[in-house]
Amino acid sequence: MIEDKNPQRTPLSDLGEFKLIEHLTKHFKVSQKSTVKSIGDDAAVLSFKKKQVVVSTDLLVEGVHFDLSYVPLKHLGYKALIVNLSDVYAMNATATQVTVSIAVSNRFPLEALEELYAGITTAAKLYNVDVVGGDTTSSTSGLIISVTAIGEVDEDKVVLRSGAKPNDLLVVTGDLGGAYMGLQILEREKEVFKVNPNNQPDLSMYTYIVERQLKPEARKDIVELLNELNVKPTSMIDVSDGLSSEVIHLCKQSKVGVDIYEDKIPLDPQVISTCEEFNIDSTTIALNGGEDYELLMTISQEDFPKIKGNPNLTIIGYMTDEDRGMHLVTRAEEKIPIIAKGWNALKDQS
Amino acid sequence: MIEDKNPQRTPLSDLGEFKLIEHLTKHFKVSQKSTVKSIGDDAAVLSFKKKQVVVSTDLLVEGVHFDLSYVPLKHLGYKALIVNLSDVYAMNATATQVTVSIAVSNRFPLEALEELYAGITTAAKLYNVDVVGGDTTSSTSGLIISVTAIGEVDEDKVVLRSGAKPNDLLVVTGDLGGAYMGLQILEREKEVFKVNPNNQPDLSMYTYIVERQLKPEARKDIVELLNELNVKPTSMIDVSDGLSSEVIHLCKQSKVGVDIYEDKIPLDPQVISTCEEFNIDSTTIALNGGEDYELLMTISQEDFPKIKGNPNLTIIGYMTDEDRGMHLVTRAEEKIPIIAKGWNALKDQS
């Protein structure tokens, strides 16, 4: 795909490491007050004064986390940032800086890296974070992207995974399962393409879910909304591995149980129809799908009036005493134990 | 080599991602006051009060930065931290936290990762930094390690690359070229081993340089020494790519020139004798070798009495006006322009 789109191919060896970094990072602008010194020294220098600093890091590996046969590099750069920013927002913090390191084999021309960095630049601008450092090196095989995201938060506003209490409401943003179903569509089209390369896929029925997979967004808006509503969640996590995996984290770290109501789980109509098409249960997908980058939080009952009816926040259950366990209450009012079947990067790959 | 040393081989898939992270990180202790919340949430929470924060990141890729046929995994874990801590010290800062991400293929058993983490733990303890986060995922081929190091420094003590002035003294710590010559020895022994696997290498003549390559140290002690001496360098950088490459960075960013005196460059006797054995010029190795992780700094003339005769600090030249250029003054008193021939990860590999 890279070859088709970029008739111009400048070998990376034409530039060398320093010139490559200079070339790729020249468009990055500093917008955060806390950035004292950005790219160009041994380390970036940041200043947070009284705020606390949150740090999160993720590694994206070609063939494990992404497949370049259907992921455009620009989208990949964008998504690499989103995945990390999402972790910062899950702390109820404001993302301020990122570092981006890439290892890349010589099969990538400069133009491909420019695409990747265009996506990084777009996300950095939209989410108002400064790219303050990174490393660019070669790889013997595929593309590897490592992003570290940094954020700031007032000491009394940090939200951990461990603060949920029995009777707290379980609240999720947006809708679930879309990113996973988008991946199923892309995988299917890839197989079709292999058989008949002239076949032009019609993805118009799946725009929402394909976009959820290829160009997810992080819920910066929710941190701002919670602040406006004057609501501090008692615990929070981002939904990267699927609802069941994340709620188990909250329960275990908070030492509580949970009842999730199947009929309350927010699903986009496209997720429902695509699940029907693939003949799979949409609740299973919402529970185990992953990569939605929504926020899952617990909110004290007394804050209920503040969030009631807000279209961004769906109450899907409530926390219980730990010994009550973790359950899904089905439409048939059966109670099924929740177990983590989330995406396991180490088990699925070889 | 991994196979020989570890008769016990537990497949990574036996654990899954969360249990693997838990298993590998359970020995990490928090010792820094600035670490509020370490591993186990969406992000680590740090608190630096009035200090400034420095952040640096590096990516180490198997087959590019290290060769597991002669690098023990424990040493590799150690070195992965050192490489990043060195960047923090080059800002005249104190390293406080690191995040460590690894991507690993299933050919590595759990015991191999335990070795790697043993090295990480040893370095973290010795350099008094907290491991506060990371990511563990699979790779389709080799081992990839991404480390982000965080440090703190008083606002008025940060040393950038850009502060050197004409007439400042150029000072380097320790000695140069050892790590590169150690690598030559290891590469040679690897070739010998390929021809005759029963041949036991005798490395006793090369202990110092092989250790410089396999288990380098970062100059935490120098930041403390400079503080005790009440000397703030006008500019500083760590020597990772070789003296010539680093001094060019200082000159370009400070807009000055430099004269380096060949006869002042500190060389260990083992570097000199090994260079003779390989029939290569030791000055060339000191200029271009890389991976020594010493600190190169410029110091104002008025601080000369404070550093004079200190065995850790060698004056190797002085800075000049920018239009005088960058030169090496040879033993024969010839002036040769300094050019960067440092290790280029993108050019050397394919």
Side-chain angles (χ1 to χ4, degrees), chain A residues 40-42 44-46 49 53-56 58-59 65 106 135 137-138 141 144 146 148 161 238 253 345 349, chain B residues 40-42 44 46 49 52-56 58-59 65 106 135 137-138 141 144 146 148 161 238 253 345 349:
Chain A
D41 218 294
D42 293 280
V45 182
L46 314 175
K49 315 266 181 211
V53 180
V54 302
V55 179
S56 179
D58 265 305
L59 204 54
H65 299 94
N106 274 354
D135 192 13
T137 186
S138 63
S141 52
I144 297 129
S146 174
T148 298
R161 295 176 177 178
D238 76 321
Q253 295 196 33
Q349 307 292 329
Chain B
D41 218 294
D42 293 282
L46 314 175
K49 315 266 178 205
Q52 288 199 329
V53 180
V54 302
V55 179
S56 179
D58 265 306
L59 204 55
H65 300 93
N106 273 353
D135 192 13
T137 186
S138 62
S141 52
I144 296 130
S146 174
T148 298
R161 295 177 177 177
D238 77 320
Q253 294 195 33
Q349 309 292 330

Side-chain angles (χ1 to χ4, degrees), chain A residues 303-319:
Chain A
D303 283 333
F304 173 65
K306 297 181 193 168
I307 64 159
K308 191 183 162 185
N310 193 303
N312 292 291
L313 304 169
T314 307
I315 301 168
I316 59 171
Y318 61 92
M319 313 317 277

Side-chain angles (χ1 to χ4, degrees), chain B residues 94-273:
Chain B
T94 305
T96 46
Q97 287 90 9
V98 291
T99 65
V100 181
S101 296
I102 57 167
V104 65
S105 71
N106 273 353
R107 77 177 159 95
F108 290 89
L110 176 63
E111 289 72 21
L113 292 193
E114 286 173 346
E115 279 291 296
L116 184 75
Y117 272 76
I120 292 168
T121 306
T122 304
K125 207 170 170 185
L126 191 63
Y127 286 85
N128 193 25
V129 294
D130 296 340
V131 183
V132 295
D135 192 13
T136 306
T137 186
S138 62
S139 142
T140 45
S141 52
L143 175 65
I144 296 130
I145 310 173
S146 174
V147 176
T148 298
I150 296 166
E152 59 178 25
V153 56
D154 289 327
E155 192 177 336
D156 58 354
K157 290 205 169 164
V158 182
V159 176
L160 302 179
R161 295 177 177 177
S162 53
K165 297 272 176 285
N167 300 318
D168 282 354
L169 303 169
L170 183 68
V171 172
V172 73
T173 63
D175 52 73
L176 299 174
Y180 181 84
M181 289 318 294
L183 182 63
Q184 302 316 304
I185 293 295
L186 290 166
E187 291 278 1
R188 187 178 67 182
E189 293 308 322
K190 184 185 171 183
E191 293 308 314
V192 171
F193 181 83
K194 274 186 197 165
V195 176
N196 180 4
N198 294 316
N199 191 59
Q200 280 296 316
D202 178 12
L203 297 179
S204 59
M205 280 172 66
Y206 312 107
T207 6
Y208 176 70
I209 57 174
V210 167
E211 184 156 336
R212 290 287 279 177
Q213 171 59 227
L214 291 182
K215 192 170 168 289
E217 302 295 343
R219 301 308 306 255
K220 181 184 193 230
D221 59 326
I222 297 297
V223 174
E224 291 160 1
L225 175 70
L226 291 169
N227 192 40
E228 282 162 28
L229 296 175
N230 197 24
V231 171
K232 183 188 168 189
T234 53
S235 71
M236 188 150 63
I237 189 169
D238 77 320
V239 184
S240 54
D241 291 326
L243 176 60
S244 56
S245 175
E246 313 306 354
V247 82
I248 291 170
H249 281 304
L250 292 186
C251 286
K252 285 198 174 166
Q253 294 195 33
S254 297
K255 298 189 170 60
V256 292
V258 71
D259 278 349
I260 296 179
Y261 291 83
E262 186 183 13
D263 62 348
K264 302 292 183 193
I265 298 173
L267 300 172
D268 185 85
Q270 234 174 61
V271 171
I272 297 171
S273 61

Side-chain angles (χ1 to χ4, degrees), chain A residues 237-249:
Chain A
I237 190 169
D238 76 321
V239 184
S240 52
D241 291 326
L243 177 59
S244 56
S245 174
E246 313 307 355
V247 83
I248 291 172
H249 281 304

Side-chain angles (χ1 to χ4, degrees), chain A residues 252-291:
Chain A
K252 285 196 173 169
Q253 295 196 33
S254 297
K255 297 186 172 58
V256 293
V258 72
D259 279 348
I260 296 180
Y261 291 84
E262 185 182 13
D263 63 346
K264 302 291 183 194
I265 298 173
L267 300 172
D268 186 85
Q270 234 173 60
V271 171
I272 298 171
S273 61
T274 312
C275 280
E276 281 167 3
E277 193 185 331
F278 279 73
N279 200 21
I280 41 180
D281 177 46
S282 56
T283 303
T284 306
I285 297 309
L287 284 171
N288 304 311
E291 293 202 279

Side-chain angles (χ1 to χ4, degrees), chain A residues 103-271:
Chain A
V104 64
S105 70
N106 274 354
R107 77 177 157 94
F108 290 89
L110 176 64
E111 289 71 21
L113 292 192
E114 285 173 345
E115 278 291 296
L116 184 75
Y117 272 77
I120 292 167
T121 307
T122 304
K125 206 171 169 182
L126 191 61
Y127 286 84
N128 194 24
V129 295
D130 296 341
V131 182
V132 295
D135 192 13
T136 307
T137 186
S138 63
S139 143
T140 45
S141 52
L143 175 65
I144 297 129
I145 310 173
S146 174
V147 176
T148 298
I150 297 166
E152 60 178 25
V153 57
D154 288 328
E155 193 178 335
D156 58 354
K157 292 208 170 162
V158 182
V159 176
L160 302 179
R161 295 176 177 178
S162 52
K165 299 271 175 284
N167 300 318
D168 282 354
L169 303 168
L170 183 67
V171 172
V172 73
T173 62
D175 53 74
L176 300 174
Y180 182 84
M181 290 317 294
L183 183 64
Q184 302 316 305
I185 293 294
L186 290 166
E187 292 279 1
R188 186 178 67 182
E189 293 309 322
K190 185 185 169 181
E191 294 308 314
V192 171
F193 182 82
K194 275 184 194 167
V195 177
N196 180 5
N198 294 318
N199 190 59
Q200 280 295 317
D202 178 12
L203 297 179
S204 59
M205 280 172 65
Y206 312 106
T207 8
Y208 176 70
I209 58 175
V210 166
E211 183 155 336
R212 290 287 279 178
Q213 171 58 227
L214 292 182
K215 192 170 168 287
E217 301 295 345
R219 301 307 306 253
K220 182 184 192 230
D221 59 327
I222 296 297
V223 175
E224 291 160 0
L225 174 71
L226 291 169
N227 191 41
E228 281 163 27
L229 296 175
N230 198 23
V231 171
K232 183 189 167 187
T234 53
S235 72
M236 188 152 60
I237 190 169
D238 76 321
V239 184
S240 52
D241 291 326
L243 177 59
S244 56
S245 174
E246 313 307 355
V247 83
I248 291 172
H249 281 304
L250 292 186
C251 286
K252 285 196 173 169
Q253 295 196 33
S254 297
K255 297 186 172 58
V256 293
V258 72
D259 279 348
I260 296 180
Y261 291 84
E262 185 182 13
D263 63 346
K264 302 291 183 194
I265 298 173
L267 300 172
D268 186 85
Q270 234 173 60
V271 171

Side-chain angles (χ1 to χ4, degrees), chain B residues 274-289:
Chain B
T274 313
C275 279
E276 282 167 1
E277 193 186 330
F278 278 74
N279 200 22
I280 43 180
D281 177 46
S282 56
T283 302
T284 306
I285 298 309
L287 285 171
N288 303 313

